[in-house]
Amino acid sequence: MEDSVQIEEDPVSSVDDLVPAVRDQLDLATGEEGDARQLPILTKQQSTAKTVDSLLKTETDPDAIESLELVLNSVVKVFCTSTPCNFYLPWQMKRQTPHTASGFVIKNRWILSNAHAVSNASSIRIRKHGDAKKYSAHIVYIAHECDLVIMTVADDQFWHGLEPLSFSDIIPRLQESITVVGYPIGGDNLSVTKGVVSRVVMSTYSHSLEYLLTIQIDAAINPGNSGGPAIQGKHVVGMSFQGQSLAQSIGYIVPVMVIQHVLNDIELHKKYTAFPIMRFYYQPMENTSYREYLKLNEDQHGILVTSIEKVCVLSEVLQEDDVITAIDNVPIADDGTIYFRRGERLNFRYLEKLKFVDDTITLKIIRQGKELTLTSLLDNNPTLVPLHLHDKHPEYLIYAGIVFTILSRFYLYEFSRRDWHRRAPTNLVNLALNSQREELNQQIVIINQILVDDVNHGISSDVANCALTRVNGTKIENIQHLAQLIDGISNSENTDNYIRFELENKRFIVISCQRAKQSEARILKQNSIAQPRSEHLR
């Protein structure tokens, strides 16, 4: 199982509050087969799961029996073999890993499950309840941000007797009963777990680090439960996707509101466009001195904008020290929360997640004591250091044995999936947590390692994991820009060209273009590397 996160703080409020050990206590509920991970010892929490047959025998409510019988035929087991990328040795793939998860049938002959269950998939097969055959499946749409995938099966025989489940149009309230159905570890048959809603919160999805609505329940969600429906009455109210490993009776489901957002997005735009995000940083306004300094009255409340990323469309209207008092006429409290329903409040970013990319949003602000109303479009620009690169191969370039690649969270995870913020190089961790994008195509290019050869003899290995800043005096924008500069210099008519690679902390490397060309084939052969560059850089 992988990490997951569930914290109350907004991840954009303080650049990155997602690194503490809180994140490491939660796990995606995907089962791994074979020897990939040792199965955990069964606990009392896991013993609450029951088979459908045993539950039907003891259930007396006719509506509950009918809904469970419907689920029985509509929930499937997903078998996936994934081949993850190796971000430290970017020309290689890691060994294949089998996973199992759950899913359920919805409209259009679609099967809904979790994206983390089929990431980097080499093979996907799906088995119906009570059937021995595993049918080949393929991905139709995948939404990594909210950990959802839509799949289908081409074989008509698979769909015989299957009926789509329907979604509820409400979010269940606290203490309302929920039934979780899926195929967790501990057996091969369909399993049912009952619980109640503990709370509804904005939290961070482990698979993508996206900040979205979740429902916390006390039903056991174990490895293999991922993608299974959470049922209330006859309708689906959510989907299982992660649990907490260091606590009991805590599981999380993706609410229908998030699922419907993806389905509506696909219907409107004919593709998945992800969730918008307002990339500004803020702090709460609970301190009295803050409020007095910014000339706020006693009845004026909101959050203080501390900075806005240059590439965000909001940078055209928002300014530092603006106080945002309302979004789309919904008041924001001094702690950054909004009214959700009786007795419950949510982080204000709930409002932006209701919209689509390129939708319009209205902000009421106070600027230098004056109340203003601003209108802006919404966009979704990724962070400078990508938070996830699922289903994407790492970019790399090898020149004179120097391996250049892109800084990403997945690169840092190669040092430790759970402890990367302690074990990865400090300079890279600081870049990952504090860097802001200034240009849309900007990337942080780093030296991954040096493949030892005569051409780079004498260059210290200490330059590994350093960020590249300039090449022959030209500031580097991204790795494609780096490739273009190297090609332009090395392919010139002057045979005595040298390339100076300037690094952070004022260090640099100088390489002879002629010697670099002569060494390329030799270095690739002795390190069993097929290509000196990733595909799009060739």
Side-chain angles (χ1 to χ4, degrees):
M1 295 188 298
E2 299 176 79
D3 292 351
S4 174
V5 190
Q6 201 287 322
I7 59 175
E8 289 289 336
E9 291 83 358
D10 169 21
V12 185
S13 64
S14 56
V15 182
D16 195 315
D17 294 328
L18 306 182
V19 295
V22 175
R23 170 187 301 157
D24 304 332
Q25 299 176 8
L26 295 124
D27 297 284
L28 295 175
T30 305
E32 295 192 11
E33 295 180 339
D35 297 327
R37 300 284 177 94
Q38 182 179 359
L39 295 180
I41 299 173
L42 293 178
T43 64
K44 289 182 180 180
Q45 180 189 12
Q46 294 169 336
S47 67
T48 60
K50 303 178 182 179
T51 64
V52 173
D53 290 339
S54 66
L55 195 63
L56 287 173
K57 290 177 182 178
T58 58
E59 186 64 71
T60 57
D61 184 357
D63 288 339
I65 293 175
E66 183 181 352
S67 64
L68 283 174
E69 288 175 340
L70 176 64
V71 169
L72 188 69
N73 293 321
S74 300
V75 180
V76 299
K77 188 168 185 177
V78 179
F79 299 83
C80 176
T81 299
S82 63
T83 310
C85 296
N86 190 327
F87 282 80
Y88 191 76
L89 302 174
W91 55 87
Q92 291 185 358
M93 304 295 287
K94 295 182 179 179
R95 67 183 180 89
Q96 291 188 337
T97 306
H99 303 274
T100 61
S102 307
F104 59 95
V105 177
I106 60 172
K107 63 179 183 179
N108 301 334
R109 285 194 167 189
W110 286 349
I111 297 166
L112 199 61
S113 187
N114 280 139
H116 74 255
V118 296
S119 294
N120 305 303
S122 300
S123 170
I124 302 173
R125 292 192 173 269
I126 294 178
R127 190 186 71 195
K128 297 193 294 183
H129 173 70
D131 196 346
K133 183 177 179 179
K134 298 173 184 174
Y135 295 83
S136 178
H138 66 271
I139 295 172
V140 182
Y141 299 101
I142 191 162
H144 286 296
E145 285 74 16
C146 55
D147 202 0
L148 294 178
V149 65
I150 296 172
M151 300 175 287
T152 193
V153 174
D155 194 333
D156 290 336
Q157 183 182 352
F158 172 85
W159 298 101
H160 180 70
L162 290 180
E163 294 293 333
L165 295 182
S166 60
F167 293 108
S168 173
D169 57 358
I170 60 171
I171 296 176
R173 291 187 171 273
L174 303 185
Q175 288 299 305
E176 288 187 351
S177 180
I178 296 268
T179 301
V180 175
V181 184
Y183 292 89
I185 58 172
D188 197 41
N189 292 332
L190 198 63
S191 174
V192 174
T193 306
K194 279 194 167 184
V196 298
V197 175
S198 302
R199 56 184 165 187
V200 179
V201 293
M202 291 291 290
S203 58
T204 306
Y205 283 40
S206 168
H207 181 64
S208 63
L209 302 186
E210 186 80 13
Y211 195 61
L212 296 168
L213 191 68
T214 59
I215 299 175
Q216 180 183 322
I217 61 175
D218 69 353
I221 295 180
N222 297 307
N225 266 125
S226 281
I231 303 293
Q232 190 175 63
K234 299 179 182 180
H235 303 287
V236 175
V237 295
M239 174 196 290
S240 305
F241 79 114
Q242 63 189 31
Q244 192 169 36
S245 60
L246 298 184
Q248 294 185 350
S249 300
I250 293 181
Y252 300 99
I253 63 175
V254 181
V256 164
M257 180 177 293
V258 175
I259 298 173
Q260 285 288 13
H261 186 282
V262 173
L263 297 177
N264 293 339
D265 187 10
I266 292 169
E267 185 175 349
L268 285 171
H269 305 108
K270 308 305 177 187
K271 63 178 181 179
Y272 170 66
T273 64
F275 291 78
I277 181 168
M278 299 183 290
R279 291 206 176 278
F280 67 83
Y281 300 82
Y282 73 94
Q283 65 185 43
M285 290 289 296
E286 298 174 281
N287 183 274
T288 302
S289 297
Y290 282 151
R291 299 172 53 76
E292 292 173 349
Y293 175 76
L294 294 163
K295 303 176 183 178
L296 265 64
N297 300 327
E298 299 231 349
D299 60 344
Q300 292 177 319
H301 305 279
I303 54 174
L304 175 66
V305 176
T306 57
S307 67
I308 311 104
E309 288 203 3
K310 292 182 179 179
V311 297
C312 180
V313 67
L314 284 176
S315 64
E316 299 175 5
V317 294
L318 269 184
Q319 298 178 10
E320 291 184 11
D321 289 347
D322 282 351
V323 177
I324 302 177
T325 59
I327 295 178
D328 286 343
N329 295 318
V330 178
I332 301 177
D334 292 329
D335 62 351
T337 62
I338 60 168
Y339 176 85
F340 177 54
R341 57 190 179 187
R342 184 176 180 182
E344 297 177 83
R345 300 186 67 84
L346 295 176
N347 185 278
F348 74 92
R349 292 196 178 273
Y350 168 77
L351 298 173
E352 74 183 7
K353 303 307 179 185
L354 298 177
K355 294 179 174 288
F356 299 105
V357 174
D358 292 331
D359 278 358
T360 299
I361 197 164
T362 301
L363 306 174
K364 288 187 177 180
I365 70 166
I366 298 175
R367 179 179 296 167
Q368 297 178 353
K370 298 179 181 180
E371 294 187 359
L372 301 173
T373 299
L374 310 176
T375 301
S376 174
L377 295 177
L378 289 171
D379 56 13
N380 183 11
N381 295 315
T383 55
L384 177 55
V385 178
L387 298 179
H388 68 86
L389 291 172
H390 298 293
D391 297 324
K392 294 180 181 178
H393 291 274
E395 301 173 87
Y396 74 93
L397 183 157
I398 302 174
Y399 186 76
I402 305 171
V403 182
F404 298 97
T405 189
I406 298 303
L407 179 61
S408 67
R409 283 293 180 93
F410 280 16
Y411 179 82
L412 297 175
Y413 291 164
E414 296 291 349
F415 294 91
S416 173
R417 182 62 178 88
R418 293 182 180 272
D419 247 358
W420 65 269
H421 48 285
R422 297 189 187 96
R423 298 187 181 181
T426 304
N427 62 312
L428 299 187
V429 172
N430 288 335
L431 286 172
L433 298 182
N434 301 315
S435 298
Q436 294 187 26
R437 185 182 294 273
E438 296 182 357
E439 302 290 341
L440 281 175
N441 61 352
Q442 185 181 359
Q443 293 176 319
I444 296 179
V445 181
I446 63 171
I447 293 179
N448 161 240
Q449 58 184 295
I450 295 180
L451 305 175
V452 177
D453 185 81
D454 288 343
V455 71
N456 54 51
H457 174 70
I459 297 177
S460 172
S461 60
D462 290 345
V463 299
N465 295 310
C466 285
L468 177 67
T469 58
R470 295 177 181 273
V471 170
N472 283 7
T474 302
K475 186 177 180 180
I476 295 299
E477 298 172 0
N478 49 55
I479 197 167
Q480 190 164 16
H481 184 217
L482 170 64
Q484 292 170 352
L485 288 174
I486 289 176
D487 291 343
I489 298 169
S490 60
N491 293 335
S492 69
E493 296 179 357
N494 188 350
T495 58
D496 294 329
N497 276 346
Y498 291 84
I499 299 182
R500 174 179 170 134
F501 298 99
E502 297 181 29
L503 311 176
E504 58 184 332
N505 299 328
K506 298 185 178 180
R507 291 186 285 183
F508 66 91
I509 297 171
V510 176
I511 295 292
S512 163
C513 294
Q514 185 177 1
R515 294 192 189 100
K517 286 182 180 179
Q518 295 170 349
S519 68
E520 182 177 284
R522 180 175 69 245
I523 291 172
L524 296 180
K525 182 178 179 180
Q526 66 188 12
N527 289 281
S528 298
I529 301 173
Q531 297 289 342
R533 302 182 180 189
S534 51
E535 186 173 357
H536 85 290
L537 297 178
R538 295 171 198 164

